Amino acid sequence: METPSSRPDDRGRDDADDRSVHDPASSPGSPAAESATDGEPSLADMLGATAAGDQASFAAFYDATADVVHGLAMLMHEHSDGADTATVAVYRHLWDQAGERARDLRLQTAASQSLTDEHADAEASYRPDEYEQVLEWLVPLAHRIMVERFREGQATPIRLQVVAEEGGISGLPEEVVDDLSALSDSQIQVIALSYLVGATHLEIAEAVGAAVPAVKSRLRDGMTRVHSRRTAREEQVDPVLRAAVTRRDVLRSSGSNRNFTREISADLDKGLLVELAEVYALDAIDERQRALLDESALTAASDVAQEWDTRVLAARRSLAEVFTVHPVRPPSHLIEEVLLDLGDQEVGMGMVEEFSEATEEEGRREPLMKRWMVLAALALVVIVAGVLIWRVVAGGDVRQIADEAPDAERLEDLELAQGGTATAVLAESEDLGYADFSEVGTPDGAAYMVWLMPADAQAQPSSLGSYTAEELDEEIIEISDLAEHRSLVVTAEEVTGRERPAGDVVVEIPLQDGASGPNYGGPDTTQSPAEDGSGDDSPGDSADGE
């Protein structure tokens, strides 16, 4: 279960002088201010003027946006002085990189408008205003700077405690509990640890005792539920959000095998770029993994790139909605600290130079790189190329490896309850196998879901994704780590995105000798959530899952 934190006094939000909630309508450049005063410069104009050294414009931009940045910092930091320092770091970075950031803002705003128009129709009338467009660019940038400070040991994140027995987390800020209530406890765990604490998905897996692929799935599926909750309660439908969560899009995205691996590079080899969009937007990756994802998105086919952009933008909008709805005006002395010796300040945030994926503008002035950075980049290219060559030579195809294994076991004509058959080939010596389905009948529910059931009865099942009948008929389900799983199970689910089976079992394929029948699916009650390690299967697991 998630437990709200009792906030320390120094994290209070009701100081009448310095920490009162700031009304953005009073700020220059906000929508309200612009509507009240014709000719008022926009926030983008202010940032552009900042690039020319205009401190007055920079101060106006700060005044219009700092309450949101500081509110986010207050949520993420254990102490208020850490939040203060983080806010200063964000705005010093904006001053130092004002030219690049102004260009980023302009290009991302254009991309946001284009995607919104692309997915809009008569039912989706929402359009972000100028203030919201600035925030959907600024909040991810600020978050990334704060996360990097955590990872470099420059600041202390909020103290959250994993509740291993129940799959939940304690210490959540009260401000976000309601917005995350639609999620399962294990989904709340991973999203809170990634977004508030700044942990990577690998660090989260270690902290919660879960498999790395399962953590990636929880981050992705948890964000889908956040999207669904927003879509259900907002009067104006955000077309970008709707495109990311409708059943049609969810099922279409499962056309490829959605089973994550441990490595981001291997996920990309399997065509799972789009499925990693939420992990990317949550900053649950390190810089090497971010570079791989950025490169893959840049070179992807146009339809894949558009789906990636849509999913990343939807995640950023939802995260901003959840984590920045409680703006806090920073102490008055911070602006003085930001403006002090601006021209000579460096915040050590070189990692943000390539922040916006929308900055591939011809003629862009690249920042100077130190010699060691160039050498490190070249070394990385050599290493990646070597790994790719090794995979081509030695990796082979899972199906071919399984078929050619001397101990390959072939299970044929396994009947599906709703029509069709399955064939499986298992190679114990290679610790892998695959399953192939044919003439699959229409599911009695929203979709089929495929699961790997753990050999350890206390462990959590792994979802391999949701499929239509046609997709399951065409897909080869690859199975790795045979020794860690007792069976592969297909269920018919009314609600996709669950963390364990709840629908009727369509077929179970044993992966080990003597594997017992399914403990999940249908009305089975032989295991309680506490016993199977799944945590809370509460209201969040029965609604908003599509």
Side-chain angles (χ1 to χ4, degrees):
M1 296 176 60
E2 70 279 4
T3 306
S5 65
S6 55
R7 314 286 277 184
D9 291 341
D10 67 346
R11 294 179 64 85
R13 297 170 176 273
D14 53 2
D15 188 306
D17 296 326
D18 287 338
R19 299 189 181 276
S20 60
V21 174
H22 173 47
D23 178 9
S26 66
S27 299
S30 69
E34 288 184 349
S35 62
T37 306
D38 293 337
E40 186 76 27
S42 68
L43 290 170
D45 292 337
M46 295 176 190
L47 194 57
T50 298
D54 187 340
Q55 290 194 13
S57 293
F58 177 68
F61 183 89
Y62 173 94
D63 188 57
T65 59
D67 55 351
V68 174
V69 172
H70 194 61
L72 175 63
M74 290 286 286
L75 286 180
M76 294 177 63
H77 288 76
E78 178 65 16
H79 305 293
S80 60
D81 56 351
D84 294 348
T85 303
T87 302
V88 171
V90 170
Y91 285 93
R92 281 181 175 167
H93 170 81
L94 288 174
W95 173 269
D96 290 340
Q97 304 293 334
E100 298 295 324
R101 301 290 78 87
R103 182 180 294 122
D104 287 350
L105 173 57
R106 184 177 71 252
L107 294 175
Q108 181 162 314
T109 297
S112 172
Q113 292 172 339
S114 176
L115 285 172
T116 302
D117 292 340
E118 176 71 22
H119 296 294
D121 59 21
E123 297 179 359
S125 57
Y126 168 80
R127 294 291 188 282
D129 56 38
E130 196 255 352
Y131 184 73
E132 292 170 324
Q133 287 176 335
V134 169
L135 293 186
E136 72 183 28
W137 164 81
L138 177 58
V139 169
L141 174 62
H143 180 263
R144 193 170 164 199
I145 290 174
M146 295 177 199
V147 164
E148 191 65 16
R149 287 172 54 80
F150 291 157
R151 294 176 184 176
E152 293 177 353
Q154 298 179 20
T156 303
I158 182 174
R159 197 177 306 279
L160 300 181
Q161 182 66 43
V162 172
V163 183
E165 297 80 5
E166 301 180 8
I169 197 163
S170 64
L172 275 180
E174 295 178 357
E175 294 89 338
V176 304
V177 169
D178 180 64
D179 284 299
L180 299 180
S181 62
L183 281 61
S184 70
D185 283 344
S186 55
Q187 289 170 343
I188 294 175
Q189 261 188 349
V190 296
I191 288 179
L193 290 173
S194 64
Y195 200 77
L196 291 177
V197 178
T200 67
H201 64 281
L202 295 174
E203 294 168 338
I204 295 169
E206 182 177 356
V208 305
V212 172
V215 169
K216 295 178 188 175
S217 295
R218 292 173 192 177
L219 291 169
R220 176 193 63 199
D221 298 342
M223 285 306 304
T224 298
R225 291 197 177 190
V226 174
H227 297 335
S228 299
R229 181 178 176 86
R230 285 190 59 209
T231 302
R233 73 185 183 187
E234 293 182 355
E235 295 182 2
Q236 287 188 313
V237 179
D238 182 343
V240 170
L241 208 60
R242 185 187 59 181
V245 301
T246 57
R247 176 166 40 168
R248 175 186 173 196
D249 285 293
V250 170
L251 293 179
R252 181 170 58 206
S253 71
S254 67
S256 61
N257 186 332
R258 299 175 74 211
N259 183 22
F260 287 120
T261 69
R262 178 178 175 82
E263 299 295 334
I264 293 289
S265 57
D267 292 335
L268 294 174
D269 290 342
K270 292 178 64 176
L272 296 181
L273 170 65
V274 173
E275 298 303 318
L276 291 163
E278 290 75 22
V279 180
Y280 179 93
L282 283 159
D283 291 323
I285 49 178
D286 61 29
E287 290 308 301
R288 179 186 62 83
Q289 294 160 345
R290 180 177 295 278
L292 288 175
L293 291 171
D294 284 339
E295 178 67 19
S296 295
L298 185 63
T299 59
S302 59
D303 58 334
V304 174
Q306 184 183 60
E307 190 173 358
W308 163 267
D309 290 340
T310 299
R311 291 267 290 266
V312 170
L313 180 59
R316 286 175 171 170
R317 286 183 178 178
S318 287
L319 289 168
E321 175 74 15
V322 171
F323 293 100
T324 65
V325 291
H326 297 278
V328 179
R329 180 180 286 279
S332 57
H333 67 81
L334 285 194
I335 183 59
E336 299 172 4
E337 188 173 343
V338 171
L339 293 174
L340 181 64
D341 298 328
L342 278 179
D344 299 324
Q345 297 293 344
E346 294 184 8
V347 296
M349 299 305 300
M351 62 91 192
V352 194
E353 288 304 318
E354 303 299 327
F355 172 75
S356 173
E357 70 275 6
T359 57
E360 299 301 322
E361 183 175 76
E362 186 173 358
R364 174 178 176 178
R365 180 178 59 84
E366 296 293 342
L368 294 176
M369 297 181 66
K370 295 181 180 179
R371 180 179 298 274
W372 70 266
M373 294 181 181
V374 176
L375 295 176
L378 290 174
L380 178 60
V381 170
V382 172
I383 292 171
V384 171
V387 171
L388 291 176
I389 293 172
W390 177 84
R391 284 184 178 170
V392 171
V393 174
D397 177 77
V398 168
R399 185 173 182 178
Q400 181 180 354
I401 293 174
D403 287 336
E404 296 178 354
D407 62 339
E409 178 184 6
R410 189 175 184 88
L411 308 177
E412 297 183 310
D413 299 324
L414 303 172
E415 295 186 358
L416 278 63
Q418 299 185 13
T421 61
T423 298
V425 176
L426 310 174
E428 182 178 356
S429 62
E430 300 289 347
D431 201 26
L432 53 73
Y434 68 88
D436 192 8
F437 299 85
S438 61
E439 299 181 358
V440 179
T442 303
D444 183 14
Y448 290 116
M449 290 195 70
V450 182
W451 311 84
L452 281 175
M453 310 306 292
D456 180 356
Q458 303 300 318
Q460 175 83 348
S462 298
S463 169
L464 304 190
S466 58
Y467 298 83
T468 64
E470 294 78 11
E471 290 167 346
L472 190 59
D473 203 312
E474 297 174 355
E475 183 68 34
I476 300 294
I477 304 297
E478 298 176 359
I479 308 168
S480 59
D481 301 322
L482 284 183
E484 298 180 8
H485 303 99
R486 59 178 172 82
S487 63
L488 183 142
V489 172
V490 179
T491 60
E493 302 286 350
E494 289 290 343
V495 178
T496 59
R498 295 180 183 274
E499 293 191 18
R500 63 174 185 165
D504 293 333
V505 175
V506 176
V507 68
E508 180 178 23
I509 302 174
L511 304 180
Q512 297 184 16
D513 293 336
S516 60
N519 290 322
Y520 299 86
D524 176 57
T525 57
T526 58
Q527 281 189 306
S528 68
E531 291 171 339
D532 65 37
S534 65
D536 182 23
D537 188 22
S538 68
D541 276 342
S542 60
D544 298 334
E546 297 183 4

